[in-house]
Amino acid sequence: SVGGIRESQSMLGASGSAAFEMGGAETRFVSMSGSYRLTSGTSLLAQASTGTTSTTGAGIILNSEARTLSWSLGLLHQNAWRTGDKFAFSVAQPMKVTSGSMNIALPTVDMTSGQGGFNLSSISLASGRAETVFEVGYMAPVSKASALRFISAYKQNANNEPGNAKVIGARYQMAF
C-alpha cells in the first residue's frame, strides 16, 4: 500500500510549544506484506514499510526531514494442539528513524557588540541502535465468541536505546 499522513503542529507524534512549536509534517510511506503457505496449517508472513517525513518550520524549528523503516517476519501455525488454536513466532524491527535531521535556529548574542542573531544547527534524528523484538505467542479459543492469548517477547535495544526488556502478557477476548 502507498499512503500519506498530515500532522498539524507535530512530527511523527512529537510536539512542542512556544519557541519549540512545529508547523506540521507530511509523511509519505510504502508498505508491503505477504504470506506464503508452507504446509496446510503453517504460513510464513512478512511485512516491510518505509517512509519519509518532511516538516514545515515554526518557532526555532526549521524545515526538517526524516526517513523511517520497519519490518517483521513471522511463522504462524494453526490447529497446533487443538482445532482453532494458533502458535506464532516472529522477529521484527518496529518503526525507527534511519536517517534525517531536525534543523533549528538557536538564538545567539555577540558579547562584544550585544547584537542578537541565530546560529543554524542540525540535530540527527537517527538512532545508532535498532530495537529488535523476538516474540512467541499462543491463542486458543475458549468458546465460539471468546479466546485466550499468551505472549512472551524479548526486546533487544528496547526503544532503540541501550538495554533490553522482557514482556509477558495474557489477554482474554470476548466478542459481543
Side-chain angles (χ1 to χ4, degrees):
S1 63
V2 176
I5 300 170
R6 286 194 179 160
E7 296 176 87
S8 176
Q9 298 179 325
S10 67
M11 176 185 181
L12 297 174
S15 62
S17 60
F20 297 100
E21 183 176 347
M22 295 182 211
E26 184 171 332
T27 300
R28 291 192 170 97
F29 63 89
V30 175
S31 291
M32 296 182 297
S33 62
S35 64
Y36 180 76
R37 184 176 161 187
L38 298 172
T39 66
S40 65
T42 306
S43 297
L44 182 64
L45 313 168
Q47 174 275 329
S49 296
T50 186
T52 300
T53 301
S54 301
T55 65
T56 54
I60 66 169
I61 297 176
L62 307 175
N63 294 354
S64 304
E65 185 172 281
R67 295 184 191 276
T68 57
L69 177 69
S70 68
W71 60 265
S72 64
L73 185 63
L75 189 65
L76 173 67
H77 184 69
Q78 300 181 69
N79 301 320
W81 291 285
R82 53 187 267 197
T83 303
D85 71 349
K86 296 176 183 175
F87 178 77
F89 171 77
S90 67
V91 60
Q93 284 190 350
M95 184 179 80
K96 88 169 231 150
V97 176
T98 56
S99 66
S101 60
M102 180 173 284
N103 301 311
I104 58 174
L106 297 173
T108 60
V109 175
D110 183 310
M111 298 307 272
T112 307
S113 68
Q115 287 286 89
F118 290 93
N119 182 22
L120 302 179
S121 296
S122 181
I123 299 169
S124 175
L125 297 175
S127 173
R129 301 186 184 273
E131 177 179 338
T132 303
V133 181
F134 303 90
E135 187 173 315
V136 176
Y138 178 73
M139 187 279 299
V142 176
S143 69
K144 288 185 180 186
S146 63
L148 189 56
R149 299 173 189 264
F150 299 97
I151 67 141
S152 176
Y154 179 76
K155 296 181 176 189
Q156 186 178 30
N157 296 317
N159 300 317
N160 299 318
E161 297 289 334
N164 304 322
K166 298 172 191 147
V167 177
I168 296 174
R171 181 169 117 182
Y172 177 75
Q173 186 174 355
M174 187 169 140
F176 293 93

